[in-house]
Amino acid sequence: MVKALIIDDEIDICYLLSSILRTKNLQVSYVNSISEATISLEKQQPEIIFLDNHLPDGLGIDFIKQLKLSYPSTKVVMITAFDNYSDRTKAFNNGVDTFISKPFTKNLIYQTVDNLTKA
C-alpha cells in the first residue's frame, strides 16, 4: 500500500485530502508543521508527500531540498493557495515533483497520484 504524508496547517485541507487519498487506497497520515513532519518522517517514509508552503514554522518550499536529500525516492507535491511564477520556479529548482494550486479538485489529486505511482 502506498503511503502518503500531508504537511499542512489547515486541518480542513488535511481531512479533505486524506479522504480523497484514501479512496485511492493510500495509507495517509498528516502533520501540521515542518517540525512535526521531521518527527513523522523518522518513523516512516512515505512514497508521496503533499506539502503546503506557508507553515507555522517555515516555508515548505525551503523544506523541499531537505526532503529530497534525506528521502530521494519520495515524491513531493507542493500544494498551496499562493501560486505564482517565482514560487513555482523555486519549488522545481528545489526538487519538487509536482505543483498544485489550491483549491484543487478530486480528479486532479487522483491524476497526480496516478502519475507519481506509475512503474
PDB file of all heavy atoms in Angstrom, residues 73-107:
ATOM      1  N   SER A  73      13.854   9.081  -2.973  1.00  0.00           N
ATOM      2  CA  SER A  73      12.845   8.369  -3.756  1.00  0.00           C
ATOM      3  C   SER A  73      11.419   8.849  -3.470  1.00  0.00           C
ATOM      4  O   SER A  73      10.485   8.479  -4.180  1.00  0.00           O
ATOM      5  CB  SER A  73      12.946   6.864  -3.517  1.00  0.00           C
ATOM      6  OG  SER A  73      12.626   6.560  -2.174  1.00  0.00           O
ATOM      7  N   THR A  74      11.247   9.655  -2.442  1.00  0.00           N
ATOM      8  CA  THR A  74       9.926  10.176  -2.101  1.00  0.00           C
ATOM      9  C   THR A  74       9.530  11.286  -3.071  1.00  0.00           C
ATOM     10  O   THR A  74      10.316  12.181  -3.360  1.00  0.00           O
ATOM     11  CB  THR A  74       9.912  10.715  -0.653  1.00  0.00           C
ATOM     12  OG1 THR A  74      10.196   9.627   0.236  1.00  0.00           O
ATOM     13  CG2 THR A  74       8.566  11.310  -0.286  1.00  0.00           C
ATOM     14  N   LYS A  75       8.296  11.203  -3.554  1.00  0.00           N
ATOM     15  CA  LYS A  75       7.755  12.232  -4.452  1.00  0.00           C
ATOM     16  C   LYS A  75       7.169  13.350  -3.600  1.00  0.00           C
ATOM     17  O   LYS A  75       6.461  13.094  -2.617  1.00  0.00           O
ATOM     18  CB  LYS A  75       6.666  11.653  -5.353  1.00  0.00           C
ATOM     19  CG  LYS A  75       7.113  10.468  -6.176  1.00  0.00           C
ATOM     20  CD  LYS A  75       8.210  10.834  -7.133  1.00  0.00           C
ATOM     21  CE  LYS A  75       8.576   9.654  -8.005  1.00  0.00           C
ATOM     22  NZ  LYS A  75       9.732   9.881  -8.819  1.00  0.00           N
ATOM     23  N   VAL A  76       7.478  14.592  -3.962  1.00  0.00           N
ATOM     24  CA  VAL A  76       6.994  15.741  -3.204  1.00  0.00           C
ATOM     25  C   VAL A  76       6.061  16.567  -4.091  1.00  0.00           C
ATOM     26  O   VAL A  76       6.433  16.956  -5.198  1.00  0.00           O
ATOM     27  CB  VAL A  76       8.154  16.626  -2.691  1.00  0.00           C
ATOM     28  CG1 VAL A  76       7.615  17.834  -1.928  1.00  0.00           C
ATOM     29  CG2 VAL A  76       9.097  15.813  -1.808  1.00  0.00           C
ATOM     30  N   VAL A  77       4.857  16.817  -3.564  1.00  0.00           N
ATOM     31  CA  VAL A  77       3.854  17.618  -4.252  1.00  0.00           C
ATOM     32  C   VAL A  77       3.649  18.896  -3.450  1.00  0.00           C
ATOM     33  O   VAL A  77       3.187  18.844  -2.310  1.00  0.00           O
ATOM     34  CB  VAL A  77       2.508  16.863  -4.370  1.00  0.00           C
ATOM     35  CG1 VAL A  77       1.467  17.719  -5.074  1.00  0.00           C
ATOM     36  CG2 VAL A  77       2.696  15.524  -5.070  1.00  0.00           C
ATOM     37  N   MET A  78       4.040  20.032  -4.018  1.00  0.00           N
ATOM     38  CA  MET A  78       3.766  21.329  -3.368  1.00  0.00           C
ATOM     39  C   MET A  78       2.304  21.656  -3.646  1.00  0.00           C
ATOM     40  O   MET A  78       1.851  21.578  -4.784  1.00  0.00           O
ATOM     41  CB  MET A  78       4.695  22.405  -3.950  1.00  0.00           C
ATOM     42  CG  MET A  78       4.388  23.824  -3.549  1.00  0.00           C
ATOM     43  SD  MET A  78       4.819  24.404  -1.885  1.00  0.00           S
ATOM     44  CE  MET A  78       6.289  23.587  -1.440  1.00  0.00           C
ATOM     45  N   ILE A  79       1.570  21.989  -2.597  1.00  0.00           N
ATOM     46  CA  ILE A  79       0.155  22.282  -2.731  1.00  0.00           C
ATOM     47  C   ILE A  79      -0.123  23.549  -1.940  1.00  0.00           C
ATOM     48  O   ILE A  79      -0.008  23.561  -0.725  1.00  0.00           O
ATOM     49  CB  ILE A  79      -0.680  21.062  -2.294  1.00  0.00           C
ATOM     50  CG1 ILE A  79      -2.141  21.252  -2.561  1.00  0.00           C
ATOM     51  CG2 ILE A  79      -0.412  20.660  -0.894  1.00  0.00           C
ATOM     52  CD1 ILE A  79      -2.919  19.947  -2.535  1.00  0.00           C
ATOM     53  N   THR A  80      -0.420  24.648  -2.655  1.00  0.00           N
ATOM     54  CA  THR A  80      -0.504  25.939  -1.985  1.00  0.00           C
ATOM     55  C   THR A  80      -1.544  26.857  -2.602  1.00  0.00           C
ATOM     56  O   THR A  80      -1.842  26.755  -3.801  1.00  0.00           O
ATOM     57  CB  THR A  80       0.878  26.634  -1.991  1.00  0.00           C
ATOM     58  OG1 THR A  80       0.796  27.870  -1.288  1.00  0.00           O
ATOM     59  CG2 THR A  80       1.366  26.887  -3.404  1.00  0.00           C
ATOM     60  N   ALA A  81      -2.082  27.736  -1.790  1.00  0.00           N
ATOM     61  CA  ALA A  81      -3.023  28.746  -2.272  1.00  0.00           C
ATOM     62  C   ALA A  81      -2.285  29.944  -2.859  1.00  0.00           C
ATOM     63  O   ALA A  81      -2.870  30.747  -3.576  1.00  0.00           O
ATOM     64  CB  ALA A  81      -3.926  29.205  -1.125  1.00  0.00           C
ATOM     65  N   PHE A  82      -1.008  30.052  -2.548  1.00  0.00           N
ATOM     66  CA  PHE A  82      -0.202  31.182  -3.019  1.00  0.00           C
ATOM     67  C   PHE A  82       0.629  30.727  -4.211  1.00  0.00           C
ATOM     68  O   PHE A  82       1.803  30.395  -4.079  1.00  0.00           O
ATOM     69  CB  PHE A  82       0.685  31.709  -1.891  1.00  0.00           C
ATOM     70  CG  PHE A  82      -0.094  32.138  -0.684  1.00  0.00           C
ATOM     71  CD1 PHE A  82      -0.265  31.268   0.389  1.00  0.00           C
ATOM     72  CD2 PHE A  82      -0.676  33.385  -0.625  1.00  0.00           C
ATOM     73  CE1 PHE A  82      -0.997  31.642   1.499  1.00  0.00           C
ATOM     74  CE2 PHE A  82      -1.414  33.774   0.477  1.00  0.00           C
ATOM     75  CZ  PHE A  82      -1.577  32.900   1.537  1.00  0.00           C
ATOM     76  N   ASP A  83      -0.011  30.703  -5.373  1.00  0.00           N
ATOM     77  CA  ASP A  83       0.622  30.196  -6.581  1.00  0.00           C
ATOM     78  C   ASP A  83       1.120  31.360  -7.428  1.00  0.00           C
ATOM     79  O   ASP A  83       0.340  32.198  -7.859  1.00  0.00           O
ATOM     80  CB  ASP A  83      -0.387  29.361  -7.372  1.00  0.00           C
ATOM     81  CG  ASP A  83       0.206  28.749  -8.625  1.00  0.00           C
ATOM     82  OD1 ASP A  83       1.410  28.932  -8.875  1.00  0.00           O
ATOM     83  OD2 ASP A  83      -0.548  28.084  -9.353  1.00  0.00           O
ATOM     84  N   ASN A  84       2.425  31.420  -7.625  1.00  0.00           N
ATOM     85  CA  ASN A  84       2.983  32.430  -8.516  1.00  0.00           C
ATOM     86  C   ASN A  84       4.206  31.844  -9.214  1.00  0.00           C
ATOM     87  O   ASN A  84       4.752  30.820  -8.806  1.00  0.00           O
ATOM     88  CB  ASN A  84       3.317  33.731  -7.762  1.00  0.00           C
ATOM     89  CG  ASN A  84       4.328  33.511  -6.659  1.00  0.00           C
ATOM     90  OD1 ASN A  84       5.449  33.072  -6.917  1.00  0.00           O
ATOM     91  ND2 ASN A  84       3.933  33.801  -5.424  1.00  0.00           N
ATOM     92  N   TYR A  85       4.629  32.495 -10.271  1.00  0.00           N
ATOM     93  CA  TYR A  85       5.729  32.003 -11.092  1.00  0.00           C
ATOM     94  C   TYR A  85       7.005  31.827 -10.273  1.00  0.00           C
ATOM     95  O   TYR A  85       7.705  30.825 -10.400  1.00  0.00           O
ATOM     96  CB  TYR A  85       5.967  32.956 -12.268  1.00  0.00           C
ATOM     97  CG  TYR A  85       7.123  32.541 -13.137  1.00  0.00           C
ATOM     98  CD1 TYR A  85       6.977  31.521 -14.079  1.00  0.00           C
ATOM     99  CD2 TYR A  85       8.370  33.142 -13.011  1.00  0.00           C
ATOM    100  CE1 TYR A  85       8.036  31.116 -14.869  1.00  0.00           C
ATOM    101  CE2 TYR A  85       9.446  32.749 -13.800  1.00  0.00           C
ATOM    102  CZ  TYR A  85       9.268  31.732 -14.726  1.00  0.00           C
ATOM    103  OH  TYR A  85      10.317  31.330 -15.501  1.00  0.00           O
ATOM    104  N   SER A  86       7.303  32.778  -9.422  1.00  0.00           N
ATOM    105  CA  SER A  86       8.523  32.735  -8.619  1.00  0.00           C
ATOM    106  C   SER A  86       8.548  31.508  -7.704  1.00  0.00           C
ATOM    107  O   SER A  86       9.552  30.799  -7.624  1.00  0.00           O
ATOM    108  CB  SER A  86       8.642  34.020  -7.800  1.00  0.00           C
ATOM    109  OG  SER A  86       9.747  33.953  -6.937  1.00  0.00           O
ATOM    110  N   ASP A  87       7.429  31.255  -7.015  1.00  0.00           N
ATOM    111  CA  ASP A  87       7.367  30.099  -6.117  1.00  0.00           C
ATOM    112  C   ASP A  87       7.419  28.792  -6.893  1.00  0.00           C
ATOM    113  O   ASP A  87       8.065  27.838  -6.466  1.00  0.00           O
ATOM    114  CB  ASP A  87       6.103  30.145  -5.257  1.00  0.00           C
ATOM    115  CG  ASP A  87       6.218  31.133  -4.101  1.00  0.00           C
ATOM    116  OD1 ASP A  87       7.317  31.667  -3.873  1.00  0.00           O
ATOM    117  OD2 ASP A  87       5.194  31.356  -3.420  1.00  0.00           O
ATOM    118  N   ARG A  88       6.729  28.733  -8.024  1.00  0.00           N
ATOM    119  CA  ARG A  88       6.770  27.517  -8.848  1.00  0.00           C
ATOM    120  C   ARG A  88       8.211  27.224  -9.292  1.00  0.00           C
ATOM    121  O   ARG A  88       8.678  26.095  -9.203  1.00  0.00           O
ATOM    122  CB  ARG A  88       5.880  27.656 -10.080  1.00  0.00           C
ATOM    123  CG  ARG A  88       4.437  27.309  -9.834  1.00  0.00           C
ATOM    124  CD  ARG A  88       3.622  27.388 -11.123  1.00  0.00           C
ATOM    125  NE  ARG A  88       2.248  27.078 -10.831  1.00  0.00           N
ATOM    126  CZ  ARG A  88       1.679  25.885 -11.043  1.00  0.00           C
ATOM    127  NH1 ARG A  88       2.399  24.906 -11.562  1.00  0.00           N
ATOM    128  NH2 ARG A  88       0.434  25.673 -10.747  1.00  0.00           N
ATOM    129  N   THR A  89       8.888  28.264  -9.771  1.00  0.00           N
ATOM    130  CA  THR A  89      10.259  28.104 -10.239  1.00  0.00           C
ATOM    131  C   THR A  89      11.163  27.631  -9.112  1.00  0.00           C
ATOM    132  O   THR A  89      11.948  26.689  -9.265  1.00  0.00           O
ATOM    133  CB  THR A  89      10.785  29.422 -10.838  1.00  0.00           C
ATOM    134  OG1 THR A  89       9.934  29.796 -11.921  1.00  0.00           O
ATOM    135  CG2 THR A  89      12.204  29.284 -11.341  1.00  0.00           C
ATOM    136  N   LYS A  90      11.052  28.274  -7.945  1.00  0.00           N
ATOM    137  CA  LYS A  90      11.877  27.887  -6.799  1.00  0.00           C
ATOM    138  C   LYS A  90      11.569  26.457  -6.358  1.00  0.00           C
ATOM    139  O   LYS A  90      12.482  25.680  -6.054  1.00  0.00           O
ATOM    140  CB  LYS A  90      11.668  28.859  -5.638  1.00  0.00           C
ATOM    141  CG  LYS A  90      12.569  28.571  -4.454  1.00  0.00           C
ATOM    142  CD  LYS A  90      12.464  29.631  -3.379  1.00  0.00           C
ATOM    143  CE  LYS A  90      13.422  29.332  -2.232  1.00  0.00           C
ATOM    144  NZ  LYS A  90      13.328  30.311  -1.153  1.00  0.00           N
ATOM    145  N   ALA A  91      10.287  26.096  -6.351  1.00  0.00           N
ATOM    146  CA  ALA A  91       9.900  24.746  -5.948  1.00  0.00           C
ATOM    147  C   ALA A  91      10.522  23.698  -6.871  1.00  0.00           C
ATOM    148  O   ALA A  91      11.093  22.713  -6.412  1.00  0.00           O
ATOM    149  CB  ALA A  91       8.377  24.613  -5.929  1.00  0.00           C
ATOM    150  N   PHE A  92      10.426  23.927  -8.178  1.00  0.00           N
ATOM    151  CA  PHE A  92      11.008  22.965  -9.120  1.00  0.00           C
ATOM    152  C   PHE A  92      12.528  22.952  -9.036  1.00  0.00           C
ATOM    153  O   PHE A  92      13.150  21.891  -9.126  1.00  0.00           O
ATOM    154  CB  PHE A  92      10.507  23.216 -10.540  1.00  0.00           C
ATOM    155  CG  PHE A  92       9.111  22.688 -10.771  1.00  0.00           C
ATOM    156  CD1 PHE A  92       8.033  23.549 -10.858  1.00  0.00           C
ATOM    157  CD2 PHE A  92       8.888  21.320 -10.868  1.00  0.00           C
ATOM    158  CE1 PHE A  92       6.746  23.057 -11.051  1.00  0.00           C
ATOM    159  CE2 PHE A  92       7.607  20.819 -11.061  1.00  0.00           C
ATOM    160  CZ  PHE A  92       6.524  21.688 -11.150  1.00  0.00           C
ATOM    161  N   ASN A  93      13.139  24.114  -8.833  1.00  0.00           N
ATOM    162  CA  ASN A  93      14.596  24.166  -8.659  1.00  0.00           C
ATOM    163  C   ASN A  93      15.035  23.427  -7.391  1.00  0.00           C
ATOM    164  O   ASN A  93      16.144  22.891  -7.336  1.00  0.00           O
ATOM    165  CB  ASN A  93      15.095  25.605  -8.625  1.00  0.00           C
ATOM    166  CG  ASN A  93      15.069  26.265  -9.985  1.00  0.00           C
ATOM    167  OD1 ASN A  93      15.028  25.594 -11.018  1.00  0.00           O
ATOM    168  ND2 ASN A  93      15.078  27.584 -10.008  1.00  0.00           N
ATOM    169  N   ASN A  94      14.174  23.414  -6.377  1.00  0.00           N
ATOM    170  CA  ASN A  94      14.491  22.725  -5.121  1.00  0.00           C
ATOM    171  C   ASN A  94      14.198  21.227  -5.184  1.00  0.00           C
ATOM    172  O   ASN A  94      14.518  20.499  -4.255  1.00  0.00           O
ATOM    173  CB  ASN A  94      13.738  23.360  -3.950  1.00  0.00           C
ATOM    174  CG  ASN A  94      14.329  24.691  -3.548  1.00  0.00           C
ATOM    175  OD1 ASN A  94      15.377  25.086  -4.045  1.00  0.00           O
ATOM    176  ND2 ASN A  94      13.656  25.403  -2.655  1.00  0.00           N
ATOM    177  N   GLY A  95      13.541  20.778  -6.276  1.00  0.00           N
ATOM    178  CA  GLY A  95      13.337  19.352  -6.463  1.00  0.00           C
ATOM    179  C   GLY A  95      11.914  18.843  -6.357  1.00  0.00           C
ATOM    180  O   GLY A  95      11.700  17.627  -6.340  1.00  0.00           O
ATOM    181  N   VAL A  96      10.923  19.731  -6.284  1.00  0.00           N
ATOM    182  CA  VAL A  96       9.540  19.276  -6.181  1.00  0.00           C
ATOM    183  C   VAL A  96       9.163  18.496  -7.447  1.00  0.00           C
ATOM    184  O   VAL A  96       9.665  18.773  -8.535  1.00  0.00           O
ATOM    185  CB  VAL A  96       8.580  20.470  -5.933  1.00  0.00           C
ATOM    186  CG1 VAL A  96       8.253  21.221  -7.222  1.00  0.00           C
ATOM    187  CG2 VAL A  96       7.301  20.023  -5.274  1.00  0.00           C
ATOM    188  N   ASP A  97       8.313  17.492  -7.284  1.00  0.00           N
ATOM    189  CA  ASP A  97       7.894  16.672  -8.418  1.00  0.00           C
ATOM    190  C   ASP A  97       6.667  17.244  -9.119  1.00  0.00           C
ATOM    191  O   ASP A  97       6.529  17.121 -10.329  1.00  0.00           O
ATOM    192  CB  ASP A  97       7.604  15.245  -7.946  1.00  0.00           C
ATOM    193  CG  ASP A  97       8.874  14.572  -7.447  1.00  0.00           C
ATOM    194  OD1 ASP A  97       9.659  14.113  -8.296  1.00  0.00           O
ATOM    195  OD2 ASP A  97       9.090  14.530  -6.220  1.00  0.00           O
ATOM    196  N   THR A  98       5.767  17.845  -8.358  1.00  0.00           N
ATOM    197  CA  THR A  98       4.532  18.411  -8.899  1.00  0.00           C
ATOM    198  C   THR A  98       4.128  19.613  -8.060  1.00  0.00           C
ATOM    199  O   THR A  98       4.404  19.666  -6.860  1.00  0.00           O
ATOM    200  CB  THR A  98       3.388  17.367  -8.867  1.00  0.00           C
ATOM    201  OG1 THR A  98       3.809  16.196  -9.561  1.00  0.00           O
ATOM    202  CG2 THR A  98       2.121  17.880  -9.505  1.00  0.00           C
ATOM    203  N   PHE A  99       3.433  20.560  -8.685  1.00  0.00           N
ATOM    204  CA  PHE A  99       2.981  21.777  -8.015  1.00  0.00           C
ATOM    205  C   PHE A  99       1.482  21.913  -8.280  1.00  0.00           C
ATOM    206  O   PHE A  99       1.062  21.939  -9.436  1.00  0.00           O
ATOM    207  CB  PHE A  99       3.736  22.983  -8.578  1.00  0.00           C
ATOM    208  CG  PHE A  99       3.630  24.239  -7.765  1.00  0.00           C
ATOM    209  CD1 PHE A  99       4.694  24.680  -7.008  1.00  0.00           C
ATOM    210  CD2 PHE A  99       2.469  24.999  -7.767  1.00  0.00           C
ATOM    211  CE1 PHE A  99       4.621  25.852  -6.260  1.00  0.00           C
ATOM    212  CE2 PHE A  99       2.374  26.167  -7.029  1.00  0.00           C
ATOM    213  CZ  PHE A  99       3.455  26.593  -6.276  1.00  0.00           C
ATOM    214  N   ILE A 100       0.682  21.984  -7.228  1.00  0.00           N
ATOM    215  CA  ILE A 100      -0.771  22.086  -7.339  1.00  0.00           C
ATOM    216  C   ILE A 100      -1.246  23.337  -6.598  1.00  0.00           C
ATOM    217  O   ILE A 100      -0.826  23.592  -5.473  1.00  0.00           O
ATOM    218  CB  ILE A 100      -1.466  20.846  -6.742  1.00  0.00           C
ATOM    219  CG1 ILE A 100      -1.096  19.601  -7.547  1.00  0.00           C
ATOM    220  CG2 ILE A 100      -2.973  21.036  -6.685  1.00  0.00           C
ATOM    221  CD1 ILE A 100      -1.651  18.313  -6.973  1.00  0.00           C
ATOM    222  N   SER A 101      -2.148  24.069  -7.237  1.00  0.00           N
ATOM    223  CA  SER A 101      -2.748  25.245  -6.610  1.00  0.00           C
ATOM    224  C   SER A 101      -4.007  24.851  -5.844  1.00  0.00           C
ATOM    225  O   SER A 101      -4.748  23.978  -6.269  1.00  0.00           O
ATOM    226  CB  SER A 101      -3.148  26.275  -7.666  1.00  0.00           C
ATOM    227  OG  SER A 101      -2.025  26.745  -8.347  1.00  0.00           O
ATOM    228  N   LYS A 102      -4.220  25.514  -4.718  1.00  0.00           N
ATOM    229  CA  LYS A 102      -5.498  25.406  -4.004  1.00  0.00           C
ATOM    230  C   LYS A 102      -6.411  26.488  -4.574  1.00  0.00           C
ATOM    231  O   LYS A 102      -5.926  27.571  -4.869  1.00  0.00           O
ATOM    232  CB  LYS A 102      -5.309  25.654  -2.506  1.00  0.00           C
ATOM    233  CG  LYS A 102      -4.522  24.600  -1.777  1.00  0.00           C
ATOM    234  CD  LYS A 102      -4.364  25.014  -0.317  1.00  0.00           C
ATOM    235  CE  LYS A 102      -3.450  24.091   0.445  1.00  0.00           C
ATOM    236  NZ  LYS A 102      -3.203  24.563   1.814  1.00  0.00           N
ATOM    237  N   PRO A 103      -7.678  26.252  -4.713  1.00  0.00           N
ATOM    238  CA  PRO A 103      -8.356  24.986  -4.432  1.00  0.00           C
ATOM    239  C   PRO A 103      -8.068  23.965  -5.525  1.00  0.00           C
ATOM    240  O   PRO A 103      -7.869  24.314  -6.675  1.00  0.00           O
ATOM    241  CB  PRO A 103      -9.826  25.367  -4.416  1.00  0.00           C
ATOM    242  CG  PRO A 103      -9.926  26.560  -5.311  1.00  0.00           C
ATOM    243  CD  PRO A 103      -8.612  27.281  -5.173  1.00  0.00           C
ATOM    244  N   PHE A 104      -8.053  22.699  -5.133  1.00  0.00           N
ATOM    245  CA  PHE A 104      -7.783  21.617  -6.063  1.00  0.00           C
ATOM    246  C   PHE A 104      -9.040  20.767  -6.198  1.00  0.00           C
ATOM    247  O   PHE A 104      -9.958  20.863  -5.383  1.00  0.00           O
ATOM    248  CB  PHE A 104      -6.614  20.755  -5.577  1.00  0.00           C
ATOM    249  CG  PHE A 104      -6.762  20.297  -4.150  1.00  0.00           C
ATOM    250  CD1 PHE A 104      -7.529  19.189  -3.818  1.00  0.00           C
ATOM    251  CD2 PHE A 104      -6.133  20.997  -3.127  1.00  0.00           C
ATOM    252  CE1 PHE A 104      -7.672  18.783  -2.502  1.00  0.00           C
ATOM    253  CE2 PHE A 104      -6.262  20.598  -1.801  1.00  0.00           C
ATOM    254  CZ  PHE A 104      -7.039  19.485  -1.494  1.00  0.00           C
ATOM    255  N   THR A 105      -9.076  19.946  -7.226  1.00  0.00           N
ATOM    256  CA  THR A 105     -10.205  19.042  -7.424  1.00  0.00           C
ATOM    257  C   THR A 105      -9.795  17.616  -7.075  1.00  0.00           C
ATOM    258  O   THR A 105      -8.609  17.275  -7.099  1.00  0.00           O
ATOM    259  CB  THR A 105     -10.698  19.060  -8.885  1.00  0.00           C
ATOM    260  OG1 THR A 105      -9.657  18.547  -9.727  1.00  0.00           O
ATOM    261  CG2 THR A 105     -11.091  20.470  -9.326  1.00  0.00           C
ATOM    262  N   LYS A 106     -10.785  16.810  -6.792  1.00  0.00           N
ATOM    263  CA  LYS A 106     -10.551  15.397  -6.513  1.00  0.00           C
ATOM    264  C   LYS A 106      -9.870  14.736  -7.710  1.00  0.00           C
ATOM    265  O   LYS A 106      -8.916  13.970  -7.540  1.00  0.00           O
ATOM    266  CB  LYS A 106     -11.889  14.729  -6.196  1.00  0.00           C
ATOM    267  CG  LYS A 106     -11.810  13.249  -5.954  1.00  0.00           C
ATOM    268  CD  LYS A 106     -13.138  12.672  -5.490  1.00  0.00           C
ATOM    269  CE  LYS A 106     -14.217  12.903  -6.511  1.00  0.00           C
ATOM    270  NZ  LYS A 106     -15.475  12.201  -6.205  1.00  0.00           N
ATOM    271  N   ASN A 107     -10.332  15.055  -8.911  1.00  0.00           N
ATOM    272  CA  ASN A 107      -9.750  14.440 -10.104  1.00  0.00           C
ATOM    273  C   ASN A 107      -8.291  14.830 -10.298  1.00  0.00           C
ATOM    274  O   ASN A 107      -7.486  14.013 -10.760  1.00  0.00           O
ATOM    275  CB  ASN A 107     -10.573  14.776 -11.348  1.00  0.00           C
ATOM    276  CG  ASN A 107     -11.886  14.018 -11.377  1.00  0.00           C
ATOM    277  OD1 ASN A 107     -12.015  12.964 -10.766  1.00  0.00           O
ATOM    278  ND2 ASN A 107     -12.864  14.557 -12.077  1.00  0.00           N
TER     279      ASN A 107
END
